[in-house]
Amino acid sequence: MGFKHSCITCLPTYALLIALIELLLTSSAIRIPDDHNQSSNIVLFPKTTHVRINNNLGGGLDLNIHCQSSTEHMELVTVIVADGQNFEWRFRPNWWGTTVWSCDLTWTKGSKTFEIYRYKRDQRRCGKFCDWFAKRGGLDGRGPPDIHFGWS
C-alpha cells in the first residue's frame, strides 16, 4: 500500500510561496524596529554604489589613496592619484545596511584615515554616486548635506 500525493493539496502552499517571492522582488527594503524604537533597514536588493575621490589639492601634488572595508572584508590597492585626477570604485552595500569603507589619504602635508562611506550616513546623501574632493583644507563630500573633514 503506497501513499498517494495529490498536487491539489499543494496549491495553497505554492500560491503563498509565489506571493512571497513577488513581494520580495517588488520591495527595495523592509523596515524592522530595533532596540531603540527607531527603524533600521534590511536591504534586500542593494543598488551598486560608486565612490569617487577627486584630487583637488592643486600645485601638481599627488594624493596616495588606500581603501578598505572592514564590514565587507575587502581591500583595494594603494593608488597614486595625480592632481586633477580621481580614483573610483563600486560595490553593493550589504543586506544589513552596515557597510563601511575607510580610506587612508596621504599627501606632502600629512596623512589621515577618513570614513568615506557609511551606509546609514550616505545611502540618502549620496544615492548611487558618492563624490569626495581632497583639498588643502580637508576632504569635502558632496551632499546634500555636504560634509567636511579637516586634515587634523
Side-chain angles (χ1 to χ4, degrees), residues 57-88:
L57 292 170
L61 296 172
D62 289 338
L63 179 66
N64 292 345
I65 303 174
H66 178 82
C67 300
Q68 61 277 334
S69 174
S70 58
T71 58
E72 306 308 309
H73 307 292
M74 295 171 61
E75 186 169 352
L76 304 174
V77 298
T78 300
V79 295
I80 299 172
V81 180
D83 184 27
Q85 300 298 310
N86 64 63
F87 173 63
E88 182 176 345

Side-chain angles (χ1 to χ4, degrees), residues 22-42:
E22 185 177 327
L23 175 66
L24 289 175
L25 291 175
T26 58
S27 300
S28 61
I30 295 176
R31 294 192 173 272
I32 58 171
D34 62 13
D35 293 340
H36 301 91
N37 294 326
Q38 297 176 348
S39 292
S40 60
N41 286 336
I42 293 180

Side-chain angles (χ1 to χ4, degrees), residues 135-146:
K135 301 177 179 180
R136 292 181 188 224
L139 186 68
D140 294 334
R142 184 172 292 159
D146 291 341

Side-chain angles (χ1 to χ4, degrees), residues 71-140:
T71 58
E72 306 308 309
H73 307 292
M74 295 171 61
E75 186 169 352
L76 304 174
V77 298
T78 300
V79 295
I80 299 172
V81 180
D83 184 27
Q85 300 298 310
N86 64 63
F87 173 63
E88 182 176 345
W89 76 98
R90 64 180 185 242
F91 59 91
R92 286 187 185 270
N94 64 30
W95 288 21
W96 314 113
T98 60
T99 301
V100 176
W101 280 89
S102 298
C103 295
D104 302 320
L105 303 184
T106 305
W107 63 301
T108 56
K109 302 285 184 178
S111 179
K112 186 171 181 180
T113 300
F114 297 96
E115 193 172 81
I116 293 294
Y117 183 86
R118 173 176 290 279
Y119 182 82
K120 292 184 188 298
R121 177 192 71 199
D122 294 322
Q123 59 127 351
R124 286 195 179 121
R125 186 183 72 81
C126 296
K128 289 174 38 177
F129 299 95
C130 221
D131 277 312
W132 293 91
F133 300 89
K135 301 177 179 180
R136 292 181 188 224
L139 186 68
D140 294 334

